[in-house]
Amino acid sequence: MTHARLIDTAAPSAPRGVVLVLHGGAARRKPMRVSPTQLSVLRMVPIAARIARAAKGELAVLRLLNSTRGWDAHHTPVDDVRWALREVASRFGQDLPVCLVGHSLGGRAALLAAAERPVVSAVALNPWVYPHEGHLDLTGRQVLLVHGDDDRVARPTSSAAVARELARTARVGYVTVEGGRHAMLRRHDVFDGLAAGFTTATLLGRRPQGPGAEAVEKVLAGERWLDV
């Protein structure tokens, strides 16, 4: 069994909160170690950097590299998130609030791990989910799902179904990015901006700035379904 790893994007000495950035990536026929240079991992580098810039030195931002690629039935990315949360608690303290930000299968992991005690918010970008996976008790959490309407890999209808179920216990917003595809390269500034704005707002109480800021403010004000 290989091991998960954490990579620092920002690690201030006294952060007010922690952000864990979670990558996606398809499974392989046999377990394979995650490479720092695989495309699904590299796609999260600018998102982590965007969050760190928006936080202005007040948040620790770490990228999680999973134990193996894809979603293994015996050891899933959710297990890696739980490991990362223990590492974060040991390093920065147990009382810091945490936001999970994930793409594709990382978005799925962010939602399924959002019930863990230190987590106060989660962002799922183009999450690859099953429609029934919204049956979670996320009381007290704030959740943002963002999905491009031109995603041919992860179905927006599935993430919308999950959002509706999650809204029974959590504060949930769902933003559709017009023309957005799975890799988030098209309209990347909107995907990145939504993640950074929601993260800094829920962890620091800071008003979001830049692309997607208006949508984040509307979600925080109680609007559930938005198009950008």
Side-chain angles (χ1 to χ4, degrees):
M1 175 65 68
T2 56
H3 297 286
R5 293 158 284 170
L6 286 170
I7 299 176
D8 291 358
T9 296
S13 58
R16 293 174 55 193
V18 178
V19 184
L20 288 178
V21 179
L22 318 176
H23 64 82
R28 297 295 187 267
R29 291 184 178 180
K30 61 180 181 178
M32 291 183 65
R33 186 175 176 85
V34 171
S35 167
T37 60
Q38 70 188 61
L39 293 179
S40 57
V41 172
L42 292 176
R43 181 60 195 96
M44 303 311 290
V45 172
I47 291 179
R50 180 72 169 270
I51 294 170
R53 288 196 302 272
K56 299 179 180 179
E58 295 190 83
L59 296 177
V61 182
L62 299 92
R63 292 189 295 116
L64 171 62
L65 271 61
N66 292 334
S67 298
T68 57
R69 296 191 183 197
W71 198 282
D72 188 289
H74 302 289
H75 183 93
T76 75
V78 176
D79 297 310
D80 291 329
V81 173
R82 292 184 178 126
W83 168 84
L85 290 171
R86 292 192 295 271
E87 292 293 304
V88 163
S90 175
R91 181 176 175 185
F92 297 105
Q94 297 183 356
D95 297 327
L96 288 181
V98 175
C99 178
L100 304 176
V101 178
H103 168 242
S104 191
L105 284 179
R108 182 187 187 191
L111 296 175
L112 295 181
E116 297 297 316
R117 187 192 64 80
V119 178
V120 300
S121 58
V123 180
L125 304 167
N126 288 346
W128 198 102
V129 292
Y130 290 106
H132 67 270
E133 289 184 313
H135 297 288
L136 303 168
D137 185 355
L138 299 185
T139 301
R141 276 69 172 181
Q142 297 185 86
V143 180
L144 176 66
L145 293 92
V146 182
H147 217 132
D149 63 5
D150 200 20
D151 188 340
R152 306 297 177 86
V153 176
R155 296 180 179 180
T157 53
S158 295
S159 62
V162 168
R164 283 190 289 270
E165 288 296 326
L166 290 178
R168 296 186 180 188
T169 59
R171 295 177 59 187
V172 178
Y174 190 98
V175 178
T176 298
V177 179
E178 297 179 2
R181 295 182 177 178
H182 190 69
M184 304 186 296
L185 299 177
R186 179 185 291 181
R187 305 203 67 192
H188 66 87
D189 58 331
V190 174
F191 283 102
D192 297 3
L194 287 165
F198 191 78
T199 299
T200 53
T202 55
L203 291 181
L204 300 174
R206 184 172 294 163
R207 185 173 182 179
Q209 303 290 329
E214 183 179 356
V216 170
E217 288 187 328
K218 288 181 178 180
V219 166
L220 294 174
E223 290 194 37
R224 284 184 53 194
W225 304 94
L226 294 135
D227 295 337
V228 296

